[in-house]
Amino acid sequence: VEQLVADELVAAAQAVVSAFAAADGAGVVAHQGKMLDRPHLKRAQRVLALAAEADGSVDNSNGNDYPIG
């Protein structure tokens, strides 16, 4: 169950990062009926960085390498 939740969080974070990447530098994006701003992007990047650090299974090649700490 915990792995399923983690997988869902990683997938959601990847979707947020992708939405911002597609918005070409915009500060706010619409995603799944919600407005997201930069703090949402930073949090998504952090989720991806933590997931990558935990098991190395997340691809950080798309700029999803938000520094931890």
Side-chain angles (χ1 to χ4, degrees):
V1 173
E2 288 179 19
Q3 185 60 41
L4 291 175
V5 171
D7 291 345
E8 289 176 9
L9 287 173
V10 169
Q14 288 171 330
V16 169
V17 170
S18 294
F20 273 93
D24 207 21
V28 177
V29 298
H31 176 66
Q32 295 182 341
K34 297 179 182 177
M35 296 300 294
L36 305 178
D37 57 8
R38 292 280 179 196
H40 294 100
L41 173 61
K42 298 283 187 193
R43 183 172 185 192
Q45 290 170 325
R46 182 163 170 79
V47 166
L48 294 177
L50 289 169
E53 184 177 284
D55 64 13
S57 67
V58 176
D59 177 12
N60 287 341
S61 64
N62 281 338
N64 302 335
D65 56 350
Y66 185 73
I68 298 172

